Amino acid sequence: MNRFFIPVLFGVLSAASAVADPVFVGKFQAKVVPEQVVPLVLGDHGTLTGLVDASQPVKAGTVVGVLNKERTEQEREDMEFDLERERLNTRDEIRKLTVQREKVAFYLNLSEEERKYATDLKSDERSMTEETLRDLDERISMLKRQSETMERRKRTEFDRNHEKLTAKMPFDGRLQYSFSVPDDITKPMEYNPSVAQGFATACDDSSLYICLNISNSELTQLPAENFTVHLTLPRNKTLVAAFDHSKVERGGNSDMLVYYFRVKDEDHDTAYKMLGSMAQAQLLYEPGESTTRIRKSVLAARPEAAQCENWEQLVRLVYPEAEIILIADRDIVLQQQKP
């Protein structure tokens, strides 16, 4: 204990005490949130298959719903048929060009004397040039590239158009469907959701947090790692979480600073049941060993209180060499002013 607190704080006010237990800051509205939540979208309507047991954890990449699977398979067969037909047409055209190229190459390899006897090629003599040969090579190459590009583009377009008909789990976690799931999930069901209903919500429960909106600038100036939050549960149980991180989030028409307190692994099941609900949480602060806690009720009974409009004025009168660290719900935490 700093020697300042012995003669001044303890000597003047017997109710002053060194801070041992965390200081109760106040009660806050809190909610439990997972590491991340991702809404899953699945087309508009149709026959739904591929559902999974949402009561169990789901691995990343697992298909959790397929819309109009039979229709998609039929459309894929039709696409493959069209692609095969296009490939046959392209090969036929390439064969014709190849025969023409061989004829030109054969003619160009003949001597002047031999060309006199090539009567079957004489009528095409004007097109039997090196330039014609190059043009034919380019056309054959172009047809091959065109066929490959067309096939790749059609497959890409097909996959992109049908991708929205298959929902997959984006990460390891839990799944919540947004509709009533039938008892037998192996049977197809008709799916016709409302616009706002959506398909499902993927929840990454690798970490769960208790969130508080901290709008008091005096609290945000304190070391955040010194805060803990206590959530009261039924049967006299308490969920305790330590500060993990904070970030600014958009709420309504304004920004707000949200503190995230990480729930212990052994409390995950309990915390998961509270997702989406609001609760009352107690915020506590560990001021450190070099501080002293003064009860507001005792300080307010001082004769100096009659001439003060706020706690700051009263502290300056009673403890002129102390500075306020925290004005909590029932206590004021002080420490000696730094020189």
Side-chain angles (χ1 to χ4, degrees), residues 28-76:
F28 291 79
Q29 283 289 314
K31 61 180 180 179
V32 178
V33 300
E35 183 70 32
Q36 58 178 323
V37 173
V38 175
L40 303 183
V41 180
L42 189 66
D44 296 324
H45 63 278
T47 303
L48 180 62
T49 56
L51 300 180
V52 300
D53 183 3
S55 66
Q56 302 296 322
V58 183
K59 290 290 185 181
T62 302
V63 173
V64 297
V66 181
L67 196 61
N68 299 327
K69 182 178 180 180
E70 291 186 0
R71 185 194 304 173
T72 298
E73 291 175 349
Q74 183 60 55
E75 291 175 355
R76 187 181 296 278

Side-chain angles (χ1 to χ4, degrees), residues 288-303:
E289 296 181 354
S290 61
T291 58
T292 296
R293 176 167 52 196
I294 311 295
R295 281 288 182 182
K296 280 183 174 180
S297 57
V298 175
L299 189 58
R302 298 278 302 185

Side-chain angles (χ1 to χ4, degrees), residues 55-297:
S55 66
Q56 302 296 322
V58 183
K59 290 290 185 181
T62 302
V63 173
V64 297
V66 181
L67 196 61
N68 299 327
K69 182 178 180 180
E70 291 186 0
R71 185 194 304 173
T72 298
E73 291 175 349
Q74 183 60 55
E75 291 175 355
R76 187 181 296 278
E77 288 182 9
D78 294 342
M79 179 192 68
E80 293 295 344
F81 178 81
D82 291 339
L83 290 176
E84 181 61 27
R85 183 175 56 191
E86 290 293 336
R87 284 195 293 267
L88 288 172
N89 292 337
T90 300
R91 286 201 296 267
D92 185 56
E93 191 170 352
I94 289 175
R95 277 195 296 269
K96 292 178 181 179
L97 292 173
T98 301
V99 170
Q100 186 177 349
R101 184 194 184 284
E102 291 174 350
K103 185 187 295 186
V104 173
F106 174 77
Y107 182 81
L108 293 176
N109 287 329
L110 294 177
S111 64
E112 288 295 332
E113 186 65 26
E114 289 172 330
R115 290 180 183 181
K116 294 178 183 179
Y117 301 100
T119 54
D120 56 329
L121 301 176
K122 203 70 175 174
S123 60
D124 298 327
E125 185 176 8
R126 292 183 179 180
S127 62
M128 301 294 183
T129 65
E130 293 288 346
E131 185 177 357
T132 301
L133 196 63
R134 288 193 298 271
D135 289 345
L136 289 169
D137 285 339
E138 289 180 4
R139 290 180 64 186
I140 292 172
S141 177
M142 182 188 69
L143 281 173
K144 291 179 179 179
R145 294 198 308 271
Q146 185 180 36
S147 178
E148 293 171 356
T149 301
M150 179 272 297
E151 184 170 337
R152 184 169 57 251
R153 185 182 68 250
K154 286 192 174 182
R155 290 187 186 280
T156 300
E157 289 177 355
F158 182 90
D159 290 340
R160 182 168 57 246
N161 292 335
H162 290 78
E163 195 175 51
K164 61 183 180 180
L165 301 180
T166 300
K168 294 182 179 181
M169 194 69 176
F171 38 65
D172 291 349
R174 307 203 192 195
L175 182 73
Q176 294 178 342
Y177 287 112
S178 303
F179 54 92
S180 298
V181 178
D183 293 335
D184 187 355
I185 60 175
T186 64
K187 293 183 178 180
M189 64 169 287
E190 288 306 307
Y191 177 70
N192 190 20
S194 63
V195 176
Q197 182 179 2
F199 174 68
T201 301
C203 171
D204 179 2
D205 63 342
S206 58
S207 295
L208 296 176
Y209 303 92
I210 300 174
C211 292
L212 304 183
N213 175 18
I214 306 294
S215 58
N216 187 333
S217 60
E218 294 180 357
L219 296 181
T220 60
Q221 298 301 313
L222 298 173
E225 60 273 13
N226 290 10
F227 285 109
T228 56
V229 68
H230 293 227
L231 210 61
T232 302
L233 303 175
R235 300 177 183 177
N236 297 321
K237 294 183 178 180
T238 303
L239 198 63
V240 180
F243 175 82
D244 186 87
H245 67 280
S246 64
K247 59 182 178 179
V248 177
E249 298 179 356
R250 191 70 178 175
N253 297 322
S254 61
D255 294 332
M256 57 185 182
L257 180 61
V258 180
Y259 277 35
Y260 285 74
F261 298 82
R262 186 166 185 166
V263 176
K264 298 175 183 177
D265 291 345
E266 56 266 30
D267 295 327
H268 266 210
D269 289 340
T270 300
Y272 184 78
K273 296 176 183 178
M274 301 178 66
L275 289 180
S277 62
M278 298 299 295
Q280 280 281 341
Q282 295 183 357
L283 183 64
L284 284 76
Y285 181 72
E286 296 267 6
E289 296 181 354
S290 61
T291 58
T292 296
R293 176 167 52 196
I294 311 295
R295 281 288 182 182
K296 280 183 174 180
S297 57

Side-chain angles (χ1 to χ4, degrees), residues 317-328:
L317 283 176
V318 179
Y319 308 111
E321 296 185 50
E323 64 176 340
I324 298 174
I325 298 300
L326 172 65
I327 299 178

